[in-house]
């Protein structure tokens, strides 16, 4: 049996040598594109190693990866409270516009508490921060994207300076996770009413 396997492998290898070289040169090859590098002024605040670093976050699905970022703890708590952890972790090829703790702190406490204690309103708010496709920096200039909430959000800018809906700045964009692209932003986005 082993002799048959070796003979088969040798015949396959010999057959490969008989393919004309021009055909081999024209054959398509699978090639991964260059991985997007995180950009923006806030990237310097990210850890350079460990689970909270961009390389560490790339190994985990988005909700889990966000939980390793101390600056996203309010967002992570809200996602847990809304029951969206599994939804986000099991989605594939999504984009999360992730407000920092400071972004949530800009909302008056009574208003924030009201949203955090109303699961439907909280889900609507959080899913407005998620786009169902991967949105990397090359798509941010003059972009318009449908969110999981159902409404559109708009992006604009150039270089490493981008805005979402004209006012929320991307602090650190193109942060990879195993199933999503994350853009850390300085404001909580409000879905149209």
């Amino acid at each position: 049996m082993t002799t048959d396997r070796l003979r088969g492998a040798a015949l396959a290898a010999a057959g490969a040598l008989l393919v004309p070289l021009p055909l081999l040169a024209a054959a398509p090859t699978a090639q991964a594109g260059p991985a997007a590098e995180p950009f923006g002024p806030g990237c310097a605040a990210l850890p350079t190693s460990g689970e909270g670093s961009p390389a560490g976050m790339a190994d985990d699905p988005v909700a889990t990866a966000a939980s390793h970022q101390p600056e996203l703890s309010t967002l992570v708590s809200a996602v847990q409270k809304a029951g969206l952890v599994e939804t986000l972790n099991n989605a594939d090829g999504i984009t999360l516009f992730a407000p920092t703790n400071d972004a949530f702190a800009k909302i008056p406490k009574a208003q924030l508490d009201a949203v955090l204690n109303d699961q439907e309103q909280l889900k609507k708010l959080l899913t407005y921060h998620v786009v169902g496709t991967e949105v990397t920096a090359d798509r941010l200039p003059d972009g318009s994207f449908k969110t999981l909430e159902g409404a559109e959000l708009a992006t604009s800018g150039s270089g490493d300076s981008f805005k979402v809906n004209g006012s929320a700045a991307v602090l650190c964009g193109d942060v990879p996770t195993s199933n999503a692209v994350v853009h850390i932003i300085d404001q909580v986005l409000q879905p149209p009413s």
Side-chain angles (χ1 to χ4, degrees), residues 1-15:
M1 186 122 146
T2 304
T3 306
D4 290 340
R5 283 189 193 158
L6 289 173
R7 186 177 297 131
L11 287 173

Side-chain angles (χ1 to χ4, degrees), residues 11-96:
L11 287 173
L17 293 175
L18 297 176
V19 175
L21 287 178
L23 288 180
L24 286 177
T29 57
Q31 200 170 30
E37 288 292 320
F39 68 88
C43 293
L46 297 180
T48 56
S49 62
E51 291 181 321
S53 69
M57 289 179 68
D59 295 336
D60 292 318
V62 67
T64 303
S67 72
H68 301 307
Q69 279 297 324
E71 286 301 312
L72 300 178
S73 62
T74 304
L75 173 64
V76 169
S77 294
V79 166
Q80 291 169 341
K81 195 166 196 168
L84 292 172
V85 172
E86 284 188 34
T87 300
L88 294 177
N89 277 349
N90 292 325
D92 191 35
I94 61 173
T95 299
L96 172 64

